[in-house]
Amino acid sequence: MNTFAELASLCLLAARTETLKKLVFSRPIDGDIVKAGGILCRVGGKVVLQIETLHSDHKATHENLPLDRNTENLLAARFTRFSQINLLTTGGDCEFRRTKKGAELLLGADKLRRRLSDTSLDAVTIGGNDKEKKRILSGDEPFLVHLGVADKNGRVYDKKQAKFRQINRFLELIADVLPSLPTGRIRILDLCCGKSYLSFAVYHYFAHILHREVSMTGVDLKPDVIDYCQDVAEKLGFDGLDFLCDNVARYETDDRPDLVISLHACDTATDLVLERAVAFGAKVILATPCCHHELNHKLRCSALDFIARHSMLRQKFCDAATDALRLLWLEAHSYEVAALELIDPDDTPKNIMLRAIRRETVSETAKERSFAEYQAARRFLLGKETQE
């Protein structure tokens, strides 16, 4: 193991044992850098090594590095750009030094590695960029236990933390649109509901937190999933929540929905959800699309070849263009629209929510303008005249 790899290994060991007080980079070889330093920081509930670099233009940059093998390799490469590096821990220190003659010395490394194996060493206090935030759900709600998100003591399972954050964020976005929803009884549809985490969460929010009368239906094509969800609803005593095995495209209801939600309906299933919600005259639509394949297969715009020739960029472009088209289509049907971030993209890349709020006073001219823009965009992307 060379000098830089040895020092990087020690840094990660100190970080993982939470004994790293500070990492100091000095005497830089690169003229663009004045100095750099690293500390442990808690971001998104995880401990990371946060590196701050001060540049010659007096600007500082920050990186949050996970405590894994890739970071060890990255640190080893970064160390080569400095002539002195000091690792300070609660178990002692070590120092890398490059002499004027070019000799590379690592002082105190063996002694420090032995010290860091001592489990009685004091851990450092780790600050963070996370702000304590009061969530709508605490984790001890019975439906979370039934759905396998939390244990019976209300502790959210590690593997379900992202799902828990997603559910809470969805409820926060519902709270934002409450002024556009009725204050008494509310009718809700969850179309392409799947395992229905959101159905249970939204029902709980309205029925047990806001104490509203709720009539809610989850619709999906998978009979086994529907049977499971109906069974859970009955066990929870969620009398106003039922589930129906049906094709969303053909689903009908005489009870006009106030709110239509959908989480990760695959590809064109999101379009079906939006079409049914508009046909029902829903006051609010909250939909988070999943995969976007249709436009990727049909894109025929020569002006966009510089993007389309790169498969990854083509997919990202088609994702954004598809959702932008959906928003235009909703605007043309009297909705005020927005694209919002549902959750941190580190949790899931499928993190865009389409929000639509029905407006009764939209002029016919404005709707026609939106529809014309929608049609023009479709023709441009498909490379042909398309009738909608």
Side-chain angles (χ1 to χ4, degrees):
M1 184 180 294
N2 65 34
T3 300
F4 298 116
E6 172 69 9
L7 180 57
S9 174
L10 274 172
C11 286
L12 266 292
L13 177 59
R16 290 172 183 141
T17 56
E18 299 187 359
T19 57
L20 188 152
K21 295 194 294 186
K22 195 171 185 180
L23 182 61
V24 181
F25 304 80
S26 53
R27 296 170 58 201
I29 296 173
D30 188 341
D32 174 59
I33 297 174
V34 176
K35 62 179 180 179
I39 59 172
L40 294 181
C41 187
R42 199 177 301 278
V43 176
K46 297 179 181 179
V47 177
V48 299
L49 178 60
Q50 186 174 84
I51 303 294
E52 180 183 64
T53 304
L54 180 64
H55 300 272
S56 57
D57 61 1
H58 303 294
K59 294 181 180 179
T61 57
H62 294 82
E63 295 176 272
N64 294 322
L65 307 177
L67 308 184
D68 58 24
R69 181 69 182 175
N70 289 333
T71 292
E72 187 173 319
N73 296 333
L74 186 152
L75 283 174
R78 181 169 299 196
F79 290 160
T80 63
R81 302 164 63 186
F82 296 85
S83 293
Q84 183 173 336
I85 302 162
N86 293 84
L87 172 60
L88 313 179
T89 79
T90 60
D93 310 330
C94 78
E95 178 181 301
F96 164 78
R97 188 186 303 160
R98 183 183 288 112
T99 68
K100 292 181 179 179
K101 294 183 178 181
E104 296 176 347
L105 307 174
L106 186 57
L107 310 175
D110 292 339
K111 181 179 179 180
L112 178 59
R113 187 174 290 279
R114 289 194 296 272
R115 291 295 306 278
L116 291 179
S117 65
D118 184 352
T119 57
S120 66
L121 288 176
D122 292 334
V124 297
T125 300
I126 302 175
N129 295 338
D130 296 340
K131 295 180 179 179
E132 280 299 318
K133 182 176 182 180
K134 184 172 177 57
R135 293 191 170 105
I136 292 175
L137 301 179
S138 62
D140 61 357
E141 291 78 8
F143 78 89
L144 293 174
V145 177
H146 276 277
L147 295 176
V149 176
D151 64 21
K152 62 182 180 180
N153 297 314
R155 188 187 74 83
V156 177
Y157 294 115
D158 292 342
K159 292 183 178 180
K160 294 295 184 179
Q161 288 289 341
K163 176 61 69 175
F164 182 63
R165 289 192 292 271
Q166 180 190 70
I167 293 170
N168 268 290
R169 175 60 177 156
F170 203 102
L171 295 183
E172 289 168 5
L173 292 170
I174 286 180
D176 290 341
V177 299
L178 285 178
S180 300
L181 293 168
T183 55
R185 176 185 180 275
I186 187 166
R187 171 67 171 152
I188 306 170
L189 297 181
D190 185 353
L191 302 181
C192 299
C193 61
K195 196 175 178 181
S196 304
Y197 291 100
L198 280 189
S199 298
F200 289 102
V202 172
Y203 182 87
H204 172 86
Y205 177 62
F206 279 100
H208 298 289
I209 296 179
L210 299 183
H211 305 291
R212 303 269 290 279
E213 181 186 350
V214 184
S215 171
M216 184 170 183
T217 303
V219 183
D220 200 276
L221 272 174
K222 300 175 182 176
D224 56 332
V225 172
I226 291 299
D227 289 344
Y228 167 79
C229 292
Q230 188 63 49
D231 181 60
V232 172
E234 291 172 2
K235 289 178 179 177
L236 289 167
F238 284 9
D239 297 332
L241 173 62
D242 58 26
F243 294 89
L244 180 66
C245 184
D246 199 355
N247 187 331
V248 167
R250 296 193 298 267
Y251 173 69
E252 296 288 348
T253 176
D254 294 329
D255 194 359
R256 171 177 166 174
D258 303 297
L259 171 64
V260 172
I261 65 172
S262 183
L263 179 68
H264 296 162
C266 189
D267 198 19
T268 56
T270 292
D271 299 296
L272 293 177
V273 168
L274 299 180
E275 288 167 9
R276 298 311 294 147
V278 169
F280 293 143
K283 293 180 173 66
V284 175
I285 306 167
L286 299 176
T288 299
C290 183
C291 48
H292 303 68
H293 297 310
E294 185 187 35
L295 182 57
N296 197 346
H297 297 321
K298 294 183 177 180
L299 186 65
R300 297 290 185 275
C301 178
S302 58
L304 296 173
D305 283 349
F306 72 103
I307 295 175
R309 70 170 62 104
H310 305 287
S311 60
M312 182 180 294
L313 297 180
R314 179 189 179 102
Q315 184 61 62
K316 287 181 178 294
F317 172 81
C318 289
D319 291 354
T322 297
D323 288 336
L325 284 171
R326 288 165 172 162
L327 294 177
L328 273 175
W329 185 83
L330 287 165
E331 278 188 337
H333 288 82
S334 303
Y335 284 86
E336 178 183 300
V337 300
L340 308 172
E341 183 176 77
L342 174 62
I343 196 171
D344 193 309
D346 287 343
D347 287 329
T348 174
K350 305 165 187 175
N351 69 330
I352 300 299
M353 171 183 278
L354 307 182
R355 184 183 70 190
I357 300 173
R358 188 170 182 81
R359 297 297 182 220
E360 302 298 337
T361 58
V362 181
S363 69
E364 289 300 318
T365 300
K367 290 191 289 185
E368 289 170 2
R369 184 167 54 247
S370 294
F371 193 63
E373 188 177 353
Y374 167 78
Q375 289 180 308
R378 288 273 298 180
R379 288 194 294 267
F380 174 73
L381 293 168
L382 300 180
K384 60 183 179 180
E385 292 295 317
T386 304
Q387 298 298 319
E388 302 299 338

